[in-house]
Amino acid sequence: MERGGHAPCALVLLLLLLAARSSSTPTFLEEDVILGTVVETARVGGGGSKGANASTRRGGANGGGGRYYVGWKEEIAGMAGRPEMAAWLRGVRRRIHERPELAYEEVETSRLVRDELAAMGVGFRHPLARTGVVATVGTGRPPVVALRADMDALPIQEALEWEHKSRNPGKMHACGHDAHVAMLLGAARILKAREHLLKGTVKLLFQPAEESGAGAKRMMEDGALEGVEAIFAVHVSHEHPTSVVGSRTGPLLAGCGFFKAVIRGEAQGEPGATRPRRRSSDPVLAAASTIISLQSIVSREADPLDSQVVSVAMVNDSASGVVGSPLVLGGTFRAFSNASFYHLRRRIEEVIAAQARVHGCSAAVDFFENQSFYPPTVNDARMYAHVKAVAAQLLGPRSYRDVPPMMGAEDFSFYSQAVPAGFFYIGVRNETLGSVHTGHSPYFMIDEDVLPTGAAVHAALAERFLAEHDALMASSPSSSSTSDLIEHEL
């Protein structure tokens, strides 16, 4: 009697559950939905909250029970989409934004990072590259994957009036590095909560001096990449709608170098003569000829299908009106391959020296190779494919797009030369908010709804890399992403 009495009840409950599940509306991030716009929903196996972009869809087409229904996508999106996570990320980003610090001066920013990591129970190493921090989450054993955020600001006076405007005169986070740090701290929080699921180790690199000073190179010299098999990093972009991810395989950002030449005239006359010398070489004429010749390097020597730039952007007479006084000229050069980049460097030096000699002058050239000499950023084909796959799965296929290469530069390029790398953009464009200005503008701002999305993408990239490590690393990188990393001679 008792068994027979429970059977109809069980059947009714089962039918109710099936009806409820079939009528639920998918709310996982897709199309125009942004992680960080949150609603409260029930979680399988607990009473936690999910974001509006966390999924009520289940992992298997045929259904099932328990953890099978809630996969890594739903769990990571659910953590990132909680209201308290979004509020915390905004608070972290705004604290950093208010106190911008230039290259190798990121003392307060570094302290904030360490304080937040310590509060999470995440171990870290400090200092690297003066102010850098490397945190570690996971098993402490291989495989090891790295995520990187840059911390430095720019020497720009913020023109945007808002509650959290820069409090350091003449300094501003005008390139989104405050957002990068907040997103990586958010990823640390997610990964720490899921540490028991990690199949290896995640290194979190909080790096100084990206804008100038080659901070990535210094971090590597201090051992930041020890044991690392792959590395990923993000940069906010005003060109893409908020939370849309973009990347490409092969060269993504150009190599960038700067040069400054000092051309000096040499007085001419008879050796030992006591009378005044009445002839001297003219650095102005030498500089004019040099500038014309430098423009010919790209127009006459470069492959038209291999984008390159040589621009003279500054000419300065150190003693105006004095014939023969030293003259300074400077500029930039850029290229998408290491071969072309180092060829430009060599030819610029040759042209300046030769044109100075032709006009009876001498020249010295400085390329600032310890400060702002960044090779091209080249995405490994496997890491690009990983970024694309994870972003599409986590955010929906319409939230990923391939992007064209850009002539901008990044010191992430040093990492990309050392290990397989995946660099990608995440959109912050929101016309309603006024988030439309390019980086390095005094009016630059971001749509902060991107912060939870960025944290989730970071965490998912690292977790899924470790889970799929063998398959990812077994495949061969494309020739475009490996042949470019050539040995060069200056």
Side-chain angles (χ1 to χ4, degrees):
M1 288 292 292
E2 293 179 354
R3 293 181 183 176
H6 285 298
C9 294
L11 180 59
V12 170
L13 288 172
L14 179 59
L15 290 172
L16 288 172
L17 288 170
L18 289 171
R21 185 168 62 190
S22 64
S23 63
S24 62
T25 302
T27 56
F28 188 61
L29 194 152
E30 196 154 18
E31 298 181 355
D32 298 326
V33 185
I34 298 169
L35 207 88
T37 307
V38 295
V39 295
E40 297 293 325
T41 58
R43 291 193 67 193
V44 174
S49 63
K50 283 186 179 180
N53 305 302
S55 180
T56 55
R57 287 181 292 182
R58 303 312 185 193
N62 299 321
R67 185 171 294 277
Y68 178 77
Y69 287 116
V70 181
W72 62 268
K73 301 187 295 293
E74 291 84 359
E75 291 178 348
I76 290 176
M79 293 185 67
R82 291 172 181 168
E84 59 270 26
M85 172 68 90
W88 174 72
L89 287 169
R90 287 194 301 272
V92 168
R93 183 253 165 176
R94 291 172 179 181
R95 286 159 59 197
I96 297 171
H97 189 88
E98 289 177 353
R99 299 293 183 185
E101 299 168 298
L102 303 183
Y104 296 118
E105 298 174 1
E106 308 93 336
V107 175
E108 288 189 30
T109 306
S110 178
R111 184 180 298 114
L112 180 151
V113 167
R114 300 195 308 273
D115 288 346
E116 294 293 343
L117 291 171
M120 300 175 205
V122 174
F124 58 83
R125 179 184 164 203
H126 167 81
L128 294 84
R130 300 187 194 175
T131 57
V133 180
V134 173
T136 305
V137 182
T139 65
R141 300 184 300 275
V144 182
V145 63
L147 304 173
R148 170 272 210 169
D150 36 17
M151 302 190 294
D152 57 322
L154 286 160
I156 293 174
Q157 179 63 46
E158 184 167 7
L160 192 67
E161 294 296 335
W162 67 304
E163 182 182 357
H164 301 283
K165 180 179 179 179
S166 170
R167 298 182 182 180
N168 293 343
K171 301 176 184 178
M172 177 189 175
H173 273 292
C175 202
H177 296 188
D178 49 349
H180 300 168
V181 174
M183 285 188 259
L184 191 55
L185 284 171
R189 198 166 180 174
I190 295 170
L191 291 167
K192 184 62 178 178
R194 298 174 60 79
E195 192 168 30
H196 61 289
L197 299 173
L198 299 180
K199 306 300 183 183
T201 304
V202 183
K203 282 190 174 184
L204 310 171
L205 278 56
F206 297 88
Q207 176 211 304
E210 184 277 327
E211 297 290 356
S212 64
K217 190 175 182 180
R218 305 291 179 268
M219 291 284 284
M220 291 169 57
E221 290 171 354
D222 286 350
L225 287 191
E226 287 179 3
V228 170
E229 295 186 43
I231 187 169
F232 300 91
V234 70
H235 203 294
V236 295
S237 170
H238 74 289
E239 295 187 0
H240 308 298
T242 299
S243 295
V244 170
V245 172
S247 190
R248 66 175 284 111
T249 188
L252 176 64
L253 291 164
C256 173
F258 296 91
F259 62 91
K260 182 179 79 172
V262 180
I263 301 175
R264 292 182 170 85
E266 297 178 357
Q268 300 175 9
E270 295 298 326
T274 58
R275 63 183 180 180
R277 297 176 178 178
R278 296 175 181 173
R279 292 185 300 152
S280 65
S281 52
D282 187 354
V284 174
L285 184 58
S289 180
T290 298
I291 293 169
I292 294 172
S293 297
L294 287 174
Q295 301 309 304
S296 299
I297 294 176
V298 173
S299 64
R300 292 294 179 265
E301 299 180 19
D303 182 341
L305 300 180
D306 179 14
S307 298
Q308 300 175 34
V309 171
V310 176
S311 292
V312 177
M314 179 271 291
V315 179
N316 179 34
D317 185 354
S318 61
S320 180
V322 180
V323 176
S325 61
L327 188 143
V328 179
L329 62 85
T332 184
F333 61 101
R334 305 189 179 214
F336 281 112
S337 72
N338 277 305
S340 298
F341 184 62
Y342 288 102
H343 172 77
L344 287 179
R345 184 218 179 277
R346 186 179 69 251
R347 290 293 293 134
I348 289 168
E349 187 170 30
E350 291 173 351
V351 166
I352 292 173
Q355 289 300 323
R357 284 197 305 271
V358 165
H359 293 86
C361 298
S362 62
V365 187
D366 185 358
F367 286 95
F368 307 100
E369 288 175 292
N370 292 321
Q371 300 175 43
S372 300
F373 193 82
Y374 298 170
T377 298
V378 181
N379 275 344
D380 181 271
R382 299 163 298 179
M383 301 310 111
Y384 151 78
H386 183 60
V387 169
K388 181 176 181 178
V390 168
Q393 290 177 67
L394 184 67
L395 310 180
R398 293 181 62 180
S399 289
Y400 175 85
R401 59 184 59 169
D402 277 344
V403 298
M406 294 177 59
M407 275 293 176
E410 246 279 357
D411 80 343
F412 186 78
S413 57
F414 291 108
Y415 300 125
S416 76
Q417 287 191 321
V419 296
F423 191 82
F424 61 100
Y425 302 111
I426 191 165
V428 294
R429 187 176 186 86
N430 185 326
E431 287 86 354
T432 302
L433 293 177
S435 179
V436 296
H437 298 283
T438 183
H440 296 218
S441 163
Y443 295 96
F444 178 82
M445 65 175 295
I446 71 163
D447 179 356
E448 290 182 322
D449 280 345
V450 76
L451 299 175
T453 309
V457 173
H458 272 85
L461 283 171
E463 182 177 314
R464 300 316 300 165
F465 175 88
L466 297 177
E468 302 166 13
H469 168 267
D470 291 347
L472 277 171
M473 302 308 288
S475 59
S476 298
S478 70
S479 59
S480 65
S481 61
T482 55
S483 63
D484 187 59
L485 305 182
I486 61 169
E487 294 295 326
H488 57 268
E489 295 182 2
L490 300 181

